[in-house]
Amino acid sequence: MRTILVATAIICAIGLGSCSDERGPTEPTPRQVGVVVAKPEPLVQGGAITGEVRARVQTDLSFRVSGKIIERLVEVGQSVKAGQLLARIDPEEQKAELDVAAANLQSAEAQQTQAQLAYDRQQSLFRTQVTTRAALDQAQEALLTAQASTKSAQALLETAQDTLSYTELKADADGVITARNAEVGQVAQAAQLVFTLAHDGDRDAVFEVVESAFLRPIDGDGTVTLLSDPSQKITAKVREISPTIDSSTGTIKVKVAISSDAPIPLGAPVVGRFNYVSQNVIQLPWSAMTSKDGKPAVWIVDPASSAVSARAVDVAGYETGSFIVKSGVSEGEVVVTDGTKFLRPGEIVSYVKEASK
């Protein structure tokens, strides 16, 4: 009985071994991945930026002389006319200088009168051969000196008059006072900012934006809307882009022209929208991005062998749900978009082509 059992076990072992040898090693199943075919498509980019409305022309008003402010006649937000008096400083010092200049002019005129009489007298004596030529020349020199002194005194008087007028600060154009930086009783220095005047007329929407936002050309006009009322859309055109970057904010100033007829008040917060000129680019979904040597890359499928390889790419920009490839991928190449985390170079994959979107 024992002999029979051993023989049976040997026969079974031989049978199993022969079955295993007949099947041989099995081939691994190719990994199923999702792919897209790279295809350049037109891209219209744009954005929304926030800013505020300002006057096209804005003037900082200040006194041209120093003094104590004794009167302020306007408030912020008040409309003013050209030549309207806005503020006044104490004019006592300037009045004293004007009195001195007037007295100097009177003295110079008196000296000129005396020099003129002396010259006329010398001329009469010279004609009658009573005086010498040297005395006549001396009288003429004194007259010319007196005349020059009179002109100098007259100029000083006019300067003193102008200085006295500088004690009154007046509007240089029709507009609205948008800022005040001095109060009655304060000693204002010459050229110190006192008022800011926004001139009537066309206005600008002013935006502070990062430099890269306007490196590409803008396609046509943009639109400006009130932040408080998005239903009001006004066509606007980029009028000025600052050539320098603000060192404190790292932004550039962009001014967009708004017609004076637009129902947008000064200082109102607005939203500006614009589009770049359309260009053909290759866009890939975020899921296609991987990394190679610490740089952005994608997996490329060789259509002939179905083998994959990682290739570094240069990314031009990032969009919602996708990224723009600047270089590294050509039209018609097959890019893996699903299953990239488990791939290794040279691996054979299975896929179904579909055009990129």
Side-chain angles (χ1 to χ4, degrees):
M1 183 66 179
R2 183 175 181 182
T3 304
I4 295 173
L5 291 175
V6 170
T8 303
I10 293 173
I11 293 172
C12 291
I14 295 172
L16 290 174
S18 63
C19 291
S20 175
D21 292 338
E22 288 177 0
R23 287 197 303 265
T26 59
E27 294 291 335
T29 303
R31 189 187 306 278
Q32 184 73 32
V33 295
V35 299
V36 294
V37 178
K39 178 183 178 181
E41 296 180 347
L43 173 67
V44 178
Q45 284 183 305
I49 50 179
T50 57
E52 65 174 354
V53 176
R54 300 179 188 174
R56 177 74 57 83
V57 179
Q58 187 168 282
T59 306
D60 291 333
L61 302 177
S62 58
F63 289 105
R64 298 174 65 174
V65 294
S66 302
K68 181 180 180 180
I69 300 177
I70 60 174
E71 191 174 13
R72 178 174 55 79
L73 303 173
V74 293
E75 299 289 345
V76 174
Q78 182 175 337
S79 297
V80 298
K81 298 294 183 181
Q84 180 176 337
L85 182 63
L86 307 179
R88 183 184 289 113
I89 63 175
D90 188 354
E92 292 302 320
E93 181 180 349
Q94 288 72 25
K95 286 182 178 179
E97 293 177 354
L98 179 61
D99 292 340
V100 172
N104 289 336
L105 177 59
Q106 290 179 353
S107 174
E109 289 175 342
Q111 292 178 3
Q112 180 180 342
T113 300
Q114 291 294 329
Q116 184 68 52
L117 293 174
Y119 177 67
D120 293 342
R121 188 182 311 111
Q122 288 296 327
Q123 275 189 322
S124 299
L125 294 175
F126 183 74
R127 283 195 296 268
T128 58
Q129 303 293 321
V130 175
T131 187
T132 63
R133 183 68 182 182
L136 178 61
D137 292 343
Q138 185 177 3
Q140 185 178 17
E141 181 182 356
L143 175 60
L144 293 174
T145 302
Q147 290 174 342
S149 297
T150 301
K151 290 182 180 180
S152 177
Q154 180 66 42
L156 291 175
L157 177 63
E158 293 174 356
T159 300
Q161 291 172 339
D162 290 340
T163 302
L164 179 60
S165 67
Y166 296 156
T167 61
E168 295 182 344
L169 184 59
K170 297 181 179 180
D172 60 349
D174 296 349
V176 178
I177 300 297
T178 59
R180 182 186 71 245
N181 297 278
E183 295 292 344
V184 175
Q186 179 178 340
V187 176
Q189 301 299 320
Q192 176 184 335
L193 177 62
V194 178
F195 294 108
T196 299
L197 175 64
H199 293 207
D200 290 343
D202 291 339
R203 298 171 180 175
D204 288 336
V206 181
F207 304 95
E208 301 286 347
V209 301
V210 294
E211 181 186 16
S212 59
F214 282 85
L215 289 179
R216 289 174 53 188
I218 303 300
D219 184 14
D221 297 335
T223 60
V224 171
T225 59
L226 275 171
L227 195 61
S228 59
D229 186 8
S231 63
Q232 292 188 12
K233 293 185 178 181
I234 300 171
T235 301
K237 185 175 183 180
V238 176
R239 186 179 68 83
E240 178 184 320
I241 299 178
S242 174
T244 58
I245 300 176
D246 190 324
S247 59
S248 60
T249 61
T251 59
I252 60 174
K253 183 175 293 185
V254 177
K255 295 182 179 179
V256 178
I258 300 177
S259 171
S260 58
D261 299 331
I264 299 181
L266 287 173
V270 292
V271 177
R273 291 179 172 83
F274 60 91
N275 291 323
Y276 295 122
V277 174
S278 177
Q279 61 178 359
N280 289 332
V281 298
I282 294 177
Q283 275 188 283
L284 298 174
W286 284 356
S287 59
M289 182 175 289
T290 184
S291 177
K292 180 180 181 180
D293 299 329
K295 297 180 180 180
V298 295
W299 287 99
I300 303 295
V301 181
D302 183 0
S305 62
S306 296
V308 295
S309 59
R311 184 187 300 172
V313 295
D314 187 5
V315 179
Y318 297 90
E319 300 292 323
T320 302
S322 65
F323 62 96
I324 302 172
V325 178
K326 183 177 181 182
S327 62
V329 177
S330 302
E331 181 179 1
E333 290 190 307
V334 181
V335 181
V336 178
T337 59
D338 187 18
T340 59
K341 295 182 179 179
F342 305 102
L343 296 177
R344 58 183 184 274
E347 182 177 353
I348 305 300
V349 296
S350 173
Y351 62 92
V352 177
K353 290 183 180 180
E354 65 177 85
S356 63
K357 298 182 179 179

